[in-house]
Every structure is written in structure tokens, then in C-alpha cells.
Amino acid sequence: KNDIIVVRGNTYENRANLSSDFIRDIAEQYEGTTLGRQEIYADLILSADGALWSLGLIDMARIRDGMLPSLGRIVIAVDPQTGYHVGDEDPSRRLKSVARSTLTGIVAVGASVPVRGRPLHAYVLEDGSLNGKPEQWGMRAIQMYRYYSQQYPTTLLAEANQGGQMIRSIITSLDPNVPIKLVTAKVKKHERAIPVVSKYQQGRVHHVGVLPMLESELITYEPGDEDTKRSPNRLDACVWGIRYLLVDGTRAGAGYAIKRII
């Protein structure tokens, strides 16, 4: 007995219920892209051609039962938005499950306790990304910092290329006690991501539960997407956090501080 009915449709078929601004925005940003296939045309994409991540890669080390090991430290990684559009906070005006240039990526990532002779593991704990004014995303980052700092040494990490001093000013004005570390991007987005993908392949990066919006962005990102004005800010925040904990800030397995070029 067949008791499953599959109904398919695309966003354009729902024009009567969507604003013309919304239709124009999604066409400009996502038409002709892999992410557009998924979010506009409802294609189920588990692994995009040329993508660095796949759902299988993420699932390989996913923690589903919430049982975490002891963590040594946490970073709240922030990739700031490049603009803010009035009305973008209204879900009817944007795609819910994807990042935009007006979305600030905010991702909490933890590292295991350093033990000599054992590689460090990273745990992607929370995706708190949002579209909002500077004081809104600034307060979100601070709230996440306050939550995790009750249990672990925690640092707020932000990309300096996108107005780093502005970020420092915003966070300090809201809470001067939050420590901020700025990092500078010296290579392209996909080049920063490759060492992080290798940690996923080694089974050393664990998503805690399911992070649907972040994971949708990871598995549909292809190197060069940023050149078409698509801004995967959730991905960037996640990459910065994992890089800082496993690649650039420490030598895996020893916990000694080293300096590397990002």
C-alpha cells in the first residue's frame, strides 16, 4: 500500500503569496547556483558538485545523544555582515535556511581538553547567526559568550577584515568585560576552509545535534561562490572557530601555542 504522497513545487510557483522584492532578491542571489537548486527549486542536495563538505562527512562524527566530553575552551566566532536591509529580519522577506550578505555568522565551537599524544577534537555547539543591526548581533554574541563562559574559558573571535575595530567597539560598548580576539584573513575563503575540511575527514570535528541552516550552507558551498556576491557567513564563522582551535592556535595533541599565517 502506497500511503506516501510527494508534492513538489518551486518558489516561483508561489508568486501570488510572495512580494516582488523577495522574488527579485532570491533570483539575484541564488539563481543558477547549487544553493538555488535547493532553496528555490526544492531539489534535495546531499552533496553538491565541487562542494568541500557533504552531509555524510558531517554525519560521520555527529553527536546525537548530547553526551560531550570535557571541553578545554570555547570560542564564539563572529563573521560580521556587510550590510543591513530594513525588513530583512522579516522571515517573509528572505530565505530562512541560507546566509545572506546581511547576516552575521555567530557560531560557538569548543575544543577538547589537551592531552599530550592525543589530537584535539572540535565540537560545533551552536549556530546563533542572525540578521540584525550591530547592537542586535553584538548582544547575541555577548549572550552566547556569557552562557558558555560560566563553564569554560571562552573567547569571542572576530574577523578583522570586515570592520574588526568596529566589532571591538560594538562589543565593548555593550559589555567591556568580554575578551575579543581579532583574526585577519590573508587567503581566500575556500583556502581557509580546506584545513578545516581535513579535520572533518579525520573525524575530529563533531556537530552537536543538527544545525540545519549552518549545514545547508556547508554542503552547498563551492569554492568561488563568494565571487558571485554570495556571502556564506555561517560557514565563515564556523571555519574561523575550528581553525583557531585546531589549526592556527594550537598544535593538535600538545596544546602548545604556535603562530601561523591564516
Side-chain angles (χ1 to χ4, degrees):
K1 179 181 178 181
N2 185 1
D3 56 359
I4 298 175
I5 300 175
V6 178
V7 178
R8 296 182 60 87
N10 64 60
T11 300
Y12 297 132
E13 293 171 350
N14 194 32
R15 286 177 182 272
N17 299 306
L18 299 171
S19 71
S20 57
D21 288 343
F22 175 82
I23 295 295
R24 183 180 63 250
D25 284 350
I26 63 168
E28 288 178 355
Q29 295 195 50
Y30 305 113
E31 190 63 65
T33 69
T34 302
L35 194 56
R37 284 175 48 204
Q38 175 172 284
E39 301 301 334
I40 298 177
Y41 295 100
D43 289 341
L44 178 61
I45 300 174
L46 301 180
S47 179
D49 294 338
L52 299 178
W53 284 266
S54 68
L55 190 58
L57 181 63
I58 296 171
D59 277 339
M60 180 174 68
R62 188 189 303 277
I63 295 178
R64 299 183 183 275
D65 58 9
M67 298 296 292
L68 284 171
S70 297
L71 298 179
R73 56 177 171 161
I74 304 284
V75 293
I76 310 301
V78 179
D79 186 64
Q81 61 200 40
T82 56
Y84 173 75
H85 297 162
V86 175
D88 276 351
E89 67 277 6
D90 179 357
S92 68
R93 295 288 306 278
R94 60 183 172 83
L95 290 175
K96 293 182 180 180
S97 59
V98 297
R100 299 184 48 158
S101 60
T102 55
L103 182 139
T104 292
I106 309 174
V107 177
V109 185
S112 56
V113 175
V115 177
R116 186 176 295 275
R118 296 182 182 178
L120 290 174
H121 284 234
Y123 299 84
V124 184
L125 304 168
E126 180 180 354
D127 175 17
S129 306
L130 83 163
N131 177 76
K133 298 176 181 178
E135 60 269 23
Q136 293 173 316
W137 57 254
M139 184 52 67
R140 171 70 61 82
I142 289 171
Q143 288 170 344
M144 290 172 64
Y145 166 82
R146 289 172 178 169
Y147 174 78
Y148 289 102
S149 64
Q150 295 179 54
Q151 304 177 65
Y152 310 103
T154 305
T155 300
L156 195 150
L157 185 75
E159 183 181 342
N161 301 59
Q162 297 287 357
Q165 296 306 320
M166 177 269 291
I167 299 170
R168 187 186 296 277
S169 176
I170 290 169
I171 298 298
T172 301
S173 68
L174 294 171
D175 187 341
N177 297 315
V178 175
I180 305 171
K181 180 175 181 60
L182 299 180
V183 289
T184 303
K186 297 182 179 180
V187 297
K188 291 185 177 181
K189 194 181 299 289
H190 73 275
E191 293 173 331
R192 291 199 303 275
I194 288 172
V196 170
V197 174
S198 73
K199 304 307 178 190
Y200 277 85
Q201 293 170 340
Q202 293 170 349
R204 292 172 54 194
V205 180
H206 311 266
H207 287 208
V208 180
V210 178
L211 306 167
M213 295 183 184
L214 170 61
E215 292 171 14
S216 175
E217 192 164 296
L218 292 176
I219 67 175
T220 57
Y221 168 75
E222 298 175 59
D225 280 357
E226 60 272 25
D227 296 333
T228 61
K229 299 184 179 180
R230 182 186 161 213
S231 181
N233 294 34
R234 298 177 196 272
L235 176 153
D236 229 11
C238 183
V239 165
W240 277 121
I242 296 170
R243 278 197 69 116
Y244 181 74
L245 293 172
L246 298 189
V247 180
D248 300 298
T250 60
R251 184 168 61 210
Y256 299 140
I258 61 174
K259 181 178 181 181
R260 294 184 183 175
I261 295 176
I262 299 176

